[in-house]
Amino acid sequence: MRATSTSQVKTARHNPALSESPVVKWILISIALLFIIVVLILPLITVFQQAFRKGFDVYVAAITEPNALAAIRLTIITALIAVPLNTIFGIAAAWAITKFKFRGKQVLVSLIDLPFAISPVIAGLIFVLLFGAQGFLGPWLIEHNMPIIFAVPGVVIATIFVTFPFVARELIPIMQAQGNSEEEAAVCLGASGWTIFRKVTLPNIKWGLLYGIILCNARAMGEFGAVSVVSGHIRGETNTIPLHVEILYNEYQFAAAFAVASLLVLLAFVTLIVKSIAERKHELSLRESLTDGGE
Amino acid sequence: MYVEVKQLVKKFGNHVASDHVSFGIEKGKLVGFLGPSGGGKTTILRMLAGLDHPDSGEIYINGQLVNDVPPQKRGIGFVFQNYALFRHMTVYDNIAFGLVVQKRKKPEIERRVSELIELTGLKGLEKRYPNQLSGGQRQRVAFARALAPEPHLLLLDEPFAAIDAKVRKELRAWLRSTIERIGITTIFVTHDQEEAVEVADEIMIINRGRIEQKGSPYEIYKNPQTPFVAGFIGESTLLEDPSSLYGFEDVIPGTKAIVRPEYVEVGLKGEVSIPSAAQLGTVESVFFRGDSWQVNVRIGDHVVSAYRSLEKKPLKANDEVLVLIHRLYIFNHEQSCIMENSRRKELFSYSI
């Protein structure tokens, strides 16, 4: 879908019949630009401006303060668990959906989208109801000294839930476009399932996969709603970076709040850069597979 | 029989792709599955390769029942319609894939791949990727890749469908001579009768999941057993009630027949070989075919086609002509026979 939209942009540029007068063109461009400046660029500048308002030392102190470091550590740990798990799940789901015929496939496709459809707060509440002290499994878990809610496992589980569609969503269209014929060819040449995956499927989907992993990671590190419900906001223990920012902000420590927030903004920049590279490659391979199929 | 198939059935929902199909193929033969799209040819081919599983029936390859043998272990080379080349691998790596998977020694792989590159005329293209190749080159890569692990049976699914008409003719001749040189048992699927006739030793006409007829291209052409086969191979016109035609009064009324243009003579007085067996007709239309004229003539309720030499005087619409039909193919309840013009007294030769 992304590939077609860019190719349409290209046709509009080349086809004079589809282009508007310069006035219309510049009005549209200015509106888009103005909107981006007000909604995106100004807030981003503000984040850094506020972060450094009291000087560089305060900035560094805010980031290296023990609670901040704990929040950063937990965020990274959560992402390190959630992203690989969802990557494996995403590949398995996309593989099952695009390479096999089975009953209930449409239901599975809809279920994968469920975390997108549900508000993250509700997602968090679901886990409180399941694993909380008054919940379904909660008393048993607490009895066996395995608390999930208001503890690190809850944060990890909520993050996995929220970020679970990203990889599968990226892979399904590209794998559908590529079809099964290369895998069938490999089977006829004597390759086992694992060899086929490693040597044929994976190289064909690698850019789409990377793109999905990056999106998944960005969301895993930035998730607020669901994590906020299950974490309990215990300082130095169950706070992730977004939760830590909120606490600092509520305590009127604006400079510190924005300093920690700037870390997430930096993460966003890195994500954006890697994403645009992966996206370009991903589109290229998608378009290639479409033209191959259309011959 | 090297390949033997017994009572093969495969259904996709309500669509019967293979309806109790049975056949045998001798070792070393080059067989063409010919029929309209959706007739079940590709499904049968895929079942032979193990890519689809039959609902019932048995497949024997070299005397061994292979129904439950996975495709990896069948030792079959398969060339796909769109070639299915590995897009992220070079020509060399594509061809080497089957050997690498078998964990052959490196020098052996190198020797075999260069041998195949030589055979398929791909020298100099080893480092190219599939999207940098022409359709004909891709087909050759797919062919070389399928042959690399030395399969005993080669299956080709519409091998020429994705190639320009010009290159197609050339590739056909090349493929045929290459397969003959290697001596591998080969089955290919096509919907193009010209292709089947030109390439195959033996043709199986497949329609609606059944084999309508099998035999050499010449046998099938000379002696089609069903109206479908007659219509599919060669040019023909269907006649609803041929008993009104001169020389075919003995045909039981109500049977169908087809007539091929090669067996119809159309000419002015003095041009037809046996005037006593000919009847009058009116030219409906005339088309230039490149090497002759195609003349469509009306005789009563029937319209038949004939070819006319460019040497003779050109005909035009509404000309009165003599029409001599030498031979009809009569079909009566799936039984077919050839019927000669009964007014023809002696053997003779004629030319268009």
Side-chain angles (χ1 to χ4, degrees), chain A residues 182 184 191 199 204 289 295, chain B residues 46 71-72 87-88 101 138:
Chain A
E182 285 183 44
E184 282 181 345
K199 295 203 165 170
N204 281 346
S289 61
E295 258 185 338
Chain B
R46 289 174 58 87
Q72 287 97 327
R87 75 192 76 203
H88 64 276
V101 161
R138 285 185 205 188

Side-chain angles (χ1 to χ4, degrees), chain A residues 4 9 15 62 65 82 85 96 119 124 167 171 200 221 233 278 290:
Chain A
T4 44
V9 169
N15 187 349
E65 182 248 338
L85 279 178
S119 157
V167 174
L171 290 184
V200 177
M221 291 190 165
H233 303 264
L290 287 175

Side-chain angles (χ1 to χ4, degrees), chain A residues 101 178 181-193 195-196 199-200 203-204 285 288-290 292-293 295, chain B residues 12 46 49 51 71-72 76 78 80 82 84-89 94 97-98 100-102 131 138 145-146 149 162:
Chain A
K101 287 179 196 154
Q178 284 173 349
S181 56
E182 285 183 44
E183 280 80 5
E184 282 181 345
V187 159
C188 290
L189 290 166
S192 66
T195 310
I196 294 172
K199 295 203 165 170
V200 177
N204 281 346
S285 61
E288 250 167 47
S289 61
L290 287 175
D292 278 2
E295 258 185 338
Chain B
F12 295 107
R46 289 174 58 87
L51 296 171
Q72 287 97 327
I76 288 176
F78 201 114
F80 291 83
N82 57 5
L85 297 178
F86 305 128
R87 75 192 76 203
H88 64 276
M89 291 186 203
N94 261 284
F97 186 87
V100 173
V101 161
Q102 286 182 359
N131 61 6
R138 285 185 205 188
R145 182 180 68 177

